[in-house]
Amino acid sequence: MPVFQPEIECASRDYLHAVQSARLIRMVNSAYQNVPFYKRKLDEIGLKPGDIHSIDDIGKLPFTVKTDLRDNYPYGLFAVPPRELTRIHASSGTTGKQTVVGYTAHDIEVWAEGAARALSAAGATREDFIHVSYGYGLFTGGLGLHYGAEYMGATAIPVSSGNTKRQVQILQDFGSDFLCCTPSYAMFIGETVRDMGIDPRSLKLRGGLFGAEPWTDNMRREIERLLDIKAYDIYGLSEIAGPGVAYDCERQDGLHINEDYFYPEVIDPDTLQPLPDGEYGELVFTCIGKEALPLVRYRTRDICALERTPCACGRTLVRMSKPRGRSDDMLIIRGVNVFPSQVEHVLLELGMDPNYLLIVDRKNNLDSMEVQVEMNAGLFSDTVRDIENTERRIEAALQSTLNIHANVSLMEPGSLPRSEGKAKRVIDKRV
Ligand code: DLL
């Protein structure tokens, strides 16, 4: 499959090292001169911008965390005056103030370039119609893919999220070639195609770029089956740019990181020391190619591992594993660490759809976990005995993967809420 920018995506490691080094030096200078927060942080540890000679010096720099953005809300970490800004976005955040991010015209182009690389890696071309069902607005999903599609010369269809039957109608009538939305919404759109009696093979759709939330390879296969497409992962976060920080290629074997703009490290979240390739830890990014918000060693809380072995697609860009979830999504139930994605994995292995809700509670000082799972057509059964047998089977599978007991309740098909954006799968009544 053609590579959008082979001169960077397939560059030699030496060339990338030189690009990264030059950009890091420039960005540290800018952050020191223009962002009082960074001047203070560097002064505190006695580090001068001149002490950074290459990307290998990155470990000398201090980390930035989400609360730094909140403490400097809304514009305190911006390195450019307001007249230089082209756009503002924000990430919703479930607690406290939202995180505000800004872009210069150059930053919008960097971001669009990243998203265009992702679309191309999924096989999209200038001839294609890109159906964008991520939300448009302060969330970066909609406009991120939209600008990426336009940047590569394809045709953007800015549908935004919601009104799912209309989405299907547009897929049919407009002849969309690629669908962009969250994986949970892709599942919902797929179910709606089926419920409307439409044969997915009759649609022109051939691929999709799904991200903004963790999803498993099993869910990938489920979406591919429901929509008769190839499903690609796309990763990003608003603090660093938006969608297109990293993306699947045709090998679907880890997401290539646009490391010429977003320099990645994986650290042990307790010791804060870098981890060797292949080991899971917290992903950290330094924005070496952007002007407005030059984040230094930003701790994403996403858990993944890096891989630098050559990829058969020809790209030399480092790959990150599919994020397992966020360290702050991790539930600790009776002392056991549980990621919602593990539950999803178990359900899909058992042939169930990933429509579930995890309810954690505390009774008599003891944590309890209930997993509500929707029955699919294959499971739907009238006999109480069949239902109970299936519930026990799921409980046993969860116990062996998670090492913890969960009460499983089967629910009627279609009874659990569907998501048009990021799915909410956990209700933790303890907090
Ligand atoms: O979710 C940007 C985005 C939009 C990415 C559309 C991909 C597609 P935020 O709202 O700031 O930005 O949320 C960022 O979402 O730190 C991860 O925890 C999670 N996330 C994003 N992409 C993936 C993915 C957008 N492919 C947070 N797999 C990140 C797993 C993801 N988690």
Side-chain angles (χ1 to χ4, degrees), residues 216 218-219 221-222 225 341-354 356 371 373-380 387-402 408 410:
T216 58
N218 281 334
M219 185 149 162
R221 284 188 281 277
E222 193 61 26
R225 189 183 61 79
S341 58
Q342 292 176 296
V343 175
E344 179 179 308
H345 182 77
V346 168
L347 294 177
L348 285 155
E349 287 278 289
L350 292 173
M352 275 148 231
D353 294 342
Y356 67 94
V371 184
V373 185
E374 220 179 83
M375 287 183 275
N376 58 22
L379 270 180
F380 195 60
I387 291 178
E388 283 177 357
N389 282 344
T390 309
E391 288 173 344
R392 297 300 86 76
R393 199 155 57 86
I394 304 174
E395 282 173 4
L398 286 171
Q399 169 85 47
S400 83
T401 301
L402 305 176
V408 170
L410 284 184

Side-chain angles (χ1 to χ4, degrees), residues 296-316:
V296 176
R297 301 189 90 197
Y298 181 70
R299 292 183 58 182
T300 64
R301 304 271 165 201
D302 291 319
I303 308 293
C304 73
L306 295 179
E307 185 60 62
R308 263 170 256 261
T309 53
C311 180
C313 76
R315 287 177 185 78
T316 47

Side-chain angles (χ1 to χ4, degrees), residues 166-223:
R166 183 167 151 267
Q167 299 273 353
V168 176
Q169 196 77 54
I170 292 174
L171 286 177
Q172 258 189 326
D173 296 351
F174 293 19
S176 316
D177 298 285
F178 282 81
L179 173 65
C180 306
C181 60
T182 59
S184 46
Y185 197 36
M187 281 285 300
F188 186 21
I189 293 177
E191 289 173 340
T192 308
V193 167
R194 183 192 60 204
D195 296 347
M196 287 167 77
I198 296 166
D199 179 354
R201 285 171 304 184
S202 69
L203 300 174
K204 201 162 159 253
L205 206 61
R206 50 175 216 283
L209 283 87
F210 307 123
E213 61 186 6
W215 53 307
T216 58
D217 274 325
N218 281 334
M219 185 149 162
R220 187 202 300 270
R221 284 188 281 277
E222 193 61 26
I223 295 171

Side-chain angles (χ1 to χ4, degrees), residues 91 134 139-141 211-214 233-239 242-243 302 323 326 422:
S91 84
Y134 288 111
F139 175 55
T140 53
E213 61 186 6
D233 200 349
I234 177 165
Y235 168 89
L237 62 167
S238 26
E239 296 91 314
D302 291 319
R326 299 171 55 81
K422 297 189 192 232

